[in-house]
Amino acid sequence: MDSLETELQRARALDESELADAIEAIGFECTRCGACCKAESACGEDGESADEGGGAVVSDGNAESAETDAEPHTATVFPDEIRRLQAAGEYDFRDVARPMPYGLADGPDGPEGETFEWALQTDDCGDCTFYAEDDEGTGACTVHGDRPLICRTYPFSVALGGTSQPMGEAVDEEGMVRAHECEGLGRDISRADAEELAAALKERAVRELEEAIGVRDNYRPVDPSAGQVVVHDSEGAKRPDGSAYE
Ligand code: SF4
Ligand code: SF4
């Protein structure tokens, strides 16, 4: 059996109560610091402005080629999650998502080539386009009720192949649960909140593996001409505006 299918079976068999136990043991309360919604360096920090630093990185759309440390926020969003976010705010596709930058080449007029999956759209600072901050610097998600699974479950992931491990290496682990960089780790969490997070974490692992299998099964190589970007997701090959690539 293919390993993605094996991992999907394992994801479907995850025990939510055990996941909740692990989340309780690690502990978590979001401080709304915004670190998981923003580019790695804030706009204007380290002598960089949006135009010279993060903005330039964002506009060329290639996080890998970033010469500064102001890499834009990059969080995977599934095709149906994009549609839900669009419907929530009557947004255009491009207001919500951008092609995942990894794998795209730097062309004369911007990124070009083939890539897999979508990332939440970013603003000129490289922050998630839905992130807002009040005068005290407290962060808020303007699409909280419709935010994607990756956001609903941050800073946790599960230790299964084919699932995403956000923001680098795990900093803590317990059973099947991994915890990633976040200042809210180690704080008390209620059982009800831990159970809610555990259910979302399991749902995300299943969805990520279903999506990965869909991408694999629907992948047809295309040969985009110069300057074109083609995104492969579980529904096939698409243009950056989400329309089908014929
Ligand atoms: S990094 Fe952690 S504490 Fe900060 S906003 Fe994200 S989840 Fe909350
Ligand atoms: S959708 Fe909301 S929670 Fe997710 S990265 Fe953007 S602002 Fe943060």
Side-chain angles (χ1 to χ4, degrees), residues 5-245:
E5 271 79 6
T6 307
E7 295 301 87
L8 177 58
Q9 277 189 6
R10 293 179 68 202
R12 286 183 174 145
L14 283 169
D15 183 326
E16 283 180 30
S17 153
E18 283 178 16
L19 295 179
D21 290 347
I23 289 168
E24 262 189 309
I26 293 171
F28 167 65
E29 183 188 9
C30 180
T31 65
R32 298 174 69 183
C33 73
C36 60
C37 305
K38 296 197 286 191
E40 285 183 22
S41 296
C43 251
E45 274 185 13
D46 304 327
E48 285 167 2
S49 72
D51 290 332
E52 294 162 358
V57 173
V58 174
S59 63
D60 80 19
N62 190 339
E64 284 181 327
S65 75
E67 289 176 5
T68 73
D69 57 359
E71 294 199 358
H73 181 265
T74 307
T76 306
V77 55
F78 299 134
D80 64 308
E81 292 180 323
I82 296 172
R83 287 190 283 271
R84 199 176 66 228
L85 284 165
Q86 279 186 263
E90 294 184 18
Y91 294 112
D92 287 336
F93 188 94
R94 284 172 184 257
D95 294 335
V96 173
R98 65 189 175 105
M100 190 57 82
Y102 309 119
L104 295 178
D106 269 332
D109 299 316
E112 58 184 36
E114 288 180 84
T115 188
F116 294 91
E117 295 296 354
W118 305 92
L120 283 169
Q121 188 55 276
T122 48
D123 63 17
D124 287 346
C125 290
D127 301 345
C128 173
T129 189
F130 299 116
Y131 180 71
E133 227 167 58
D134 67 17
D135 292 342
E136 278 81 48
T138 303
C141 173
T142 58
V143 289
H144 190 77
D146 295 293
R147 68 199 193 287
L149 281 164
I150 190 89
C151 305
R152 283 166 52 198
T153 50
Y154 197 82
F156 298 105
S157 64
V158 292
L160 286 177
T163 61
S164 69
Q165 306 290 314
M167 301 251 285
E169 296 297 308
V171 296
D172 201 354
E173 60 180 84
E174 182 76 31
M176 287 294 284
V177 175
R178 302 283 177 268
H180 300 261
E181 199 179 319
C182 162
E183 68 172 38
L185 288 173
R187 294 168 175 246
D188 286 346
I189 184 169
S190 70
R191 183 67 193 178
D193 286 350
E195 285 177 352
E196 194 179 318
L197 253 172
L201 198 53
K202 177 175 177 177
E203 183 186 352
R204 184 183 121 207
V206 169
R207 291 292 318 284
E208 285 181 343
L209 284 156
E210 288 174 344
E211 181 70 20
I213 289 168
V215 170
R216 182 201 63 197
D217 291 349
N218 284 319
Y219 178 72
R220 302 282 177 275
V222 295
D223 189 15
S225 48
Q228 274 191 330
V229 170
V230 175
V231 182
H232 299 276
D233 66 23
S234 59
E235 298 171 353
K238 296 178 183 171
R239 299 178 191 280
D241 66 1
S243 61
Y245 182 85

